[in-house]
Amino acid sequence: MVAPDPTEGGHVPVMLAEVLAALAPRDGATLLDGTFGGGGYSAAILSAADCTLYAVDRDPDAIARGAGLAARFPGRLHLVEGRFGDMLSLMAERGVDSLDGVVLDLGVSSYQIDQAERGFSLRSDGPLDMRMEKSGPTAAELVNTLPERELADLLWELGEERHSRRIARKIVAARGDAPFETTLQLAEAIHAVMPRDPSGMDSATRSFQALRLKVNDELGEVERGLEAAMRLLAPGGRLVVVSFHSLEDRIVKRFMRDAAGRTPGASRFDPASLKKATKQADFRLLTTTALRPSMAESTTNPRARSARLRAIERLAA
């Protein structure tokens, strides 16, 4: 079996050159790709250095797709089905207690979006599912059961949707006639009460994002994954994270700044703040501000446009 080329079919790894430069894989290193997806980062990492790579993904379809890539790098690529937030236990089960690098590409993969039956896409009709692991409550269950106020709060908090109450009111009224079952059914209900977005973005995008984040507990997973990665990194080990919207990026930014001792403190004009002891940081920021994709990449790969890359390194003991 030949491994699928991650650059085919629109499945292009975002900011690949920048990720490799920040991760700096070397011969003999043990690394982890916490969001295997289409295998784009994993393939590039294994090609860049004679290293060992553990590739984690909660989506069983992604793990199945990785079999061909594992055959290309026998003994070097180890596919692990699970959540990257559980990487401490996943690595402990495999006898790994430290890593030289971790990369996380947050959010939904292109493969998941392109498969209508997974229920992530606004472009084609499919069951209103959105589960990465194919288990647990679906987006349809949330849409059809949440009280109006809770649904509005969800769309506001996780989708940053300014018209959340209007949308929730419409959904609750519509589900009284028939439950929501498909993606286009929900999108059409949202379109009916939403003004056209001047940017050209589909007006249901933020609502779909909110539901997806809730169904998969993605923000909680990001926090758990960052904590686990920072515990596993060996001296000199690096964590590289690519995020795609502000909620994820805020979490990553805060975690990395805290780890590097860059947390904003009290005013320097406050005498009490001078008495506080400062703890020596165990990490250093490799990116003081988030890196953005080049204009050329944003043009050729629209998914890259909102990407932010941040990286951090554990200091030598």
Side-chain angles (χ1 to χ4, degrees), residues 46-235:
L46 290 164
S47 298
D50 185 12
C51 57
T52 298
L53 180 67
Y54 290 87
V56 177
D57 205 293
R58 64 197 291 184
D59 186 345
D61 288 353
I63 297 301
R65 279 194 304 268
L69 189 60
R72 279 176 49 194
F73 298 97
R76 294 177 53 203
L77 175 60
H78 304 278
L79 298 166
V80 181
E81 184 176 337
R83 300 185 176 201
F84 64 76
D86 296 328
M87 71 176 78
L88 277 171
S89 60
L90 293 175
M91 291 299 96
E93 291 167 4
R94 290 155 179 82
V96 178
D97 58 10
S98 68
L99 294 167
D100 299 303
V102 175
V103 60
L104 301 174
D105 175 15
L106 304 179
V108 65
S109 79
S110 297
Y111 280 100
Q112 291 166 332
I113 292 175
D114 291 344
Q115 295 174 332
E117 66 270 19
R118 300 300 301 272
F120 290 99
S121 178
L122 281 162
R123 296 195 300 263
S124 53
D125 203 13
L128 191 54
D129 194 315
M130 299 192 188
R131 297 171 300 172
M132 292 180 177
E133 289 160 309
K134 298 187 176 182
S135 63
T138 65
E141 291 177 65
L142 291 179
V143 167
N144 289 319
T145 62
L146 283 180
E148 181 178 327
R149 179 162 185 167
E150 289 184 31
L151 182 57
D153 288 345
L154 168 62
L155 300 181
W156 167 254
E157 292 168 7
L158 296 184
E160 300 179 296
E161 175 53 72
R162 293 184 297 115
H163 303 285
S164 61
R165 306 223 172 271
R166 180 192 303 176
I167 294 171
R169 191 179 311 117
K170 173 63 176 179
I171 289 173
V172 170
R175 77 190 188 194
D177 297 327
F180 287 92
E181 297 179 348
T182 71
T183 53
L184 289 190
Q185 185 185 1
L186 176 61
E188 288 169 1
I190 296 171
H191 294 157
V193 296
M194 284 288 287
R196 183 179 296 276
D197 194 299
S199 71
M201 182 180 72
D202 191 298
S203 58
T205 297
R206 295 185 182 89
S207 296
F208 270 61
Q209 171 190 293
L211 290 168
R212 194 200 82 220
L213 291 175
K214 180 65 175 180
V215 165
N216 298 289
D217 186 26
E218 291 182 48
L219 299 186
E221 186 70 3
V222 171
E223 293 190 348
R224 291 186 291 272
L226 293 173
E227 291 175 353
M230 290 181 179
R231 290 177 61 181
L232 279 168
L233 285 179

Side-chain angles (χ1 to χ4, degrees), residues 22 31 66 106 201 238 256 263 274 284 296:
L31 308 167
L106 304 179
M201 182 180 72
R238 295 182 170 193
M256 289 190 175
T263 306
L274 301 177
R284 73 179 181 99

